[in-house]
Amino acid sequence: VVTQTAEAKSTCRNTGSFDRWLSGFKQDAAAAGISKQVISAALDGVTFNKSIIKKDRTQIIFSDDWLTLSGKLISAGRLKTGAAKLKYNARMFNSIKSRYGVPGEVVTAFWALETDFGGFLGNDSTIRSLATLAYDCRRPEKFHKELMAALKLLQNGDLRLGEMKGAWAGELGQLQFLPSYYEKHAVDFDGDGRRNMVKSSADALASAANYMKYLGWQKGQPWLQEVEVPRNMPWEQADVTIKHPRSQWAKWGVKRRGGKKLRADSLPASLILPMGRNGPAFLGYPNFDAYLTWNESLTYSLTAAYLGTRYLGAPKASPGRGKVAKMGYKEVKAVQTALERRGYDVGGVDGTLGAKSRAAVRDMQLKLKMPADGYPSPEFLRRIR
């Protein structure tokens, strides 16, 4: 199988008939055991939605630096409402934590960021969005699976067709699960016989906890801790993919927020510097890995994890040691383009500092004898150009 590059996928063109594709998908659905009634009710008359394709080609929300993104997403209103929800639903959150081991603060942070506590689930037809994306040339295999899973949710009675409205990319419910995740991980926590993550907050929040447990969440363990870093240390060790015992970070001079000593034990941790060595700093523990599977964007995952700590009483994050030059969408694309020309795989020129881009930046920083913290600067861009 030949896999398209990210650049090719973003510029591919659809040439075949959508109606002919839809007819073929109906045959696939029937072969997968979906009833004629469900296929007809869900898919008859469904049309291609050009606006969905436009949105899919122009996603740039996670290109903001971490302080900018977290500042936008973690509003005073979300902090206040989340705290009130945790207090009002304490019994439910305690039951969820008892069953799945995931604290209420963790799932409430996702609840806040995904749909404003169920206040806005999206207005797009889930079936039409998924059909459009399954037909589209960019990611047809992924969304073929998601559309099939959506039909199974209808057939199983978890959701009714009128409830299948959500985000433009087909995510459903108060925690914005794609249908395949919904089908596999949703739970009926309120006991009404349906796994309804659209209308039941209990089902939605417990399903999120169930999914986090599936992703490896360890009960009673931390997930994120804000820290302070020294002026000099082996910066190339600071990455979410690299773990050392907490005692090693303490030996290198990493301290708790406020300057107190870290506990020098064997708990594995990654040093996360979302804006480089002069910006905010965090230790990410094994539970943080679950966030990165929930959403591969480091800036989003760090925001969700950090918001959970705010609900537990953590202070507003420090901006770091000094002013950090912001590397926005255009600047990051320029860095990625220059690194690609030097032979690096940056995961596509998309304006987002993903894992491959950070690794490439770090390697180039080492070659240039610059502090290898994985975060590009204007000086770094000038030198690689």
Side-chain angles (χ1 to χ4, degrees):
V1 177
V2 178
T3 303
Q4 291 176 296
T5 64
E7 185 70 21
K9 287 183 178 181
S10 68
T11 57
C12 66
R13 291 187 177 185
N14 297 310
T15 55
S17 161
F18 176 80
D19 289 338
R20 191 179 303 119
W21 172 86
L22 186 62
S23 177
F25 181 86
K26 288 180 178 180
Q27 294 177 23
D28 291 345
I34 306 298
S35 70
K36 289 182 179 179
Q37 291 83 358
V38 169
I39 293 171
S40 178
L43 297 176
D44 284 356
V46 168
T47 56
F48 180 74
N49 188 343
K50 186 181 292 185
S51 69
I52 297 296
I53 302 303
K54 185 177 180 181
K55 290 176 182 176
D56 187 52
R57 299 289 198 272
T58 56
Q59 299 180 68
I60 62 171
I61 180 174
F62 299 138
S63 63
D64 282 335
D65 66 79
W66 186 77
L67 281 173
T68 300
L69 181 75
S70 62
K72 289 178 182 177
L73 297 182
I74 302 178
S75 63
R78 282 176 170 169
L79 286 168
K80 184 178 179 180
T81 301
K85 295 279 187 185
L86 282 160
K87 184 176 180 180
Y88 183 78
N89 298 293
R91 183 177 296 179
M92 177 186 68
F93 283 117
N94 285 335
S95 296
I96 290 173
K97 184 177 180 181
S98 177
R99 185 175 301 185
Y100 303 106
V102 181
E105 292 81 4
V106 169
V107 291
T108 297
F110 282 120
W111 196 21
L113 297 177
E114 296 289 349
T115 64
D116 267 327
F117 312 100
F120 184 70
L121 277 59
N123 292 318
D124 286 298
S125 162
T126 301
I127 296 297
R128 188 183 184 201
S129 293
L130 292 173
T132 296
L133 291 166
Y135 159 78
D136 183 42
C137 56
R138 194 164 92 87
R139 293 179 290 175
E141 300 89 355
K142 173 183 173 69
F143 286 100
H144 184 285
K145 180 182 76 171
E146 297 302 339
L147 182 56
M148 195 70 73
L151 297 184
K152 290 178 182 177
L153 291 175
L154 290 172
Q155 180 150 293
N156 295 341
D158 291 306
L159 293 174
R160 300 183 178 98
L161 189 59
E163 295 171 325
M164 281 198 157
K165 286 188 176 181
W168 66 265
E171 297 96 343
L172 281 163
Q174 297 185 33
L175 271 297
Q176 297 288 277
F177 274 33
L178 280 168
S180 65
Y181 294 90
Y182 194 128
E183 184 191 9
K184 187 173 182 180
H185 302 290
V187 296
D188 172 23
F189 202 72
D190 62 12
D192 70 350
R194 295 173 67 204
R195 304 182 302 165
N196 193 330
M197 293 179 67
V198 174
K199 293 185 175 179
S200 171
S201 297
D203 286 3
L205 293 163
S207 297
N210 183 45
Y211 181 46
M212 292 294 274
K213 182 180 179 181
Y214 167 79
L215 295 177
W217 187 273
Q218 299 174 36
K219 184 177 182 179
Q221 294 295 312
W223 59 94
L224 191 75
Q225 179 182 16
E226 189 178 4
V227 294
E228 296 176 0
V229 294
R231 290 194 174 275
N232 292 295
M233 63 172 291
W235 298 113
E236 69 277 4
Q237 297 302 309
D239 189 73
V240 72
T241 62
I242 300 171
K243 289 182 172 63
H244 292 290
R246 192 154 49 179
S247 57
Q248 180 62 67
W249 295 116
K251 185 182 290 186
W252 280 328
V254 177
K255 296 181 179 179
R256 292 160 54 190
R257 172 81 182 268
K260 293 183 179 180
K261 288 184 179 181
L262 276 178
R263 184 180 298 176
D265 58 16
S266 60
L267 184 64
S270 299
L271 180 59
I272 304 169
L273 305 174
M275 297 175 66
R277 67 194 186 282
N278 293 320
F282 300 89
L283 285 182
Y285 297 105
N287 275 344
F288 184 69
D289 293 345
Y291 284 89
L292 290 167
T293 308
W294 180 296
N295 190 306
E296 292 180 358
S297 164
L298 178 61
T299 51
Y300 176 87
S301 292
L302 189 59
T303 299
Y306 164 64
L307 178 53
T309 68
R310 290 296 303 274
Y311 287 138
L312 275 174
K316 184 178 180 180
S318 166
R321 190 168 30 238
K323 190 173 182 180
V324 178
K326 292 185 177 181
M327 299 294 286
Y329 177 72
K330 292 181 180 179
E331 291 81 8
V332 172
K333 282 191 74 173
V335 167
Q336 292 171 325
T337 299
L339 288 170
E340 271 201 345
R341 286 176 182 155
R342 289 173 174 265
Y344 286 101
D345 176 9
V346 297
V349 179
D350 58 6
T352 301
L353 275 175
K356 288 185 176 180
S357 290
R358 293 194 306 272
V361 168
R362 190 181 309 108
D363 187 72
M364 196 68 222
Q365 286 171 328
L366 286 169
K367 290 179 180 177
L368 294 171
K369 293 183 169 49
M370 300 176 74
D373 58 9
Y375 188 77
S377 63
E379 180 191 359
F380 175 79
L381 179 56
R382 285 194 299 272
R383 291 182 67 176
I384 61 172
R385 272 177 165 170

